[in-house]
């Protein structure tokens, strides 16, 4: 069994560039198994994922733009595949 999560990271600079990726963890060991390409939701600006859920083949992301203006973004699982293995 597996559990998905969202990882957030940034590249330093002015302005700082924020990105995200999905990571699939083994539910028993907690070890990373697969991951997606990195992505952003709206722009490569200050945006954080403040909530995440998977239901019926859809990813639900609650995000914050510039630490305000929250919104819900949905993406079909097939449009954000876990392409890469950690092994």
């Amino acid at each position: 069994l597996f559990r998905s999560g969202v990882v957030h990271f940034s590249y330093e600079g002015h302005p700082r560039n924020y990105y995200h990726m999905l990571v699939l963890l083994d539910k028993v060991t907690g070890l990373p198994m697969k991951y997606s390409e990195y992505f952003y939701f709206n722009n490569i600006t200050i945006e954080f994922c403040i909530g995440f859920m998977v239901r019926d083949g859809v990813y639900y992301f609650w995000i914050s733009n510039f630490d305000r203006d929250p919104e819900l973004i949905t993406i079909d699982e097939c449009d954000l595949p876990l392409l890469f293995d950690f092994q």
Side-chain angles (χ1 to χ4, degrees):
L1 297 170
F2 302 101
R3 188 154 291 198
S4 297
V6 181
V7 175
H8 163 83
F9 61 97
S10 63
Y11 287 109
E12 297 299 319
H14 188 73
R16 191 175 293 160
N17 296 327
Y18 290 78
Y19 298 94
H20 317 277
M21 71 171 43
L22 292 180
V23 176
L24 187 68
L25 301 177
D26 183 286
K27 196 172 181 178
V28 175
T29 66
L31 294 173
M33 305 298 292
K34 291 181 160 289
Y35 61 99
S36 70
E37 292 192 47
Y38 60 87
F39 61 91
Y40 58 90
F41 295 107
N42 292 318
N43 295 297
I44 306 174
T45 60
I46 299 171
E47 61 177 25
F48 297 99
C49 184
I50 56 177
F52 173 69
M53 178 178 76
V54 183
R55 179 180 283 164
D56 299 328
V58 177
Y59 295 126
Y60 293 81
F61 300 94
W62 287 266
I63 70 164
S64 166
N65 299 287
F66 290 93
D67 291 331
R68 58 185 182 278
D69 300 328
E71 68 181 285
L72 172 63
I73 294 179
T74 59
I75 301 172
D76 288 338
E77 279 185 286
C78 63
D79 293 332
L80 189 55
L82 299 167
L83 299 173
F84 309 103
D85 292 326
F86 274 97
Q87 287 98 356

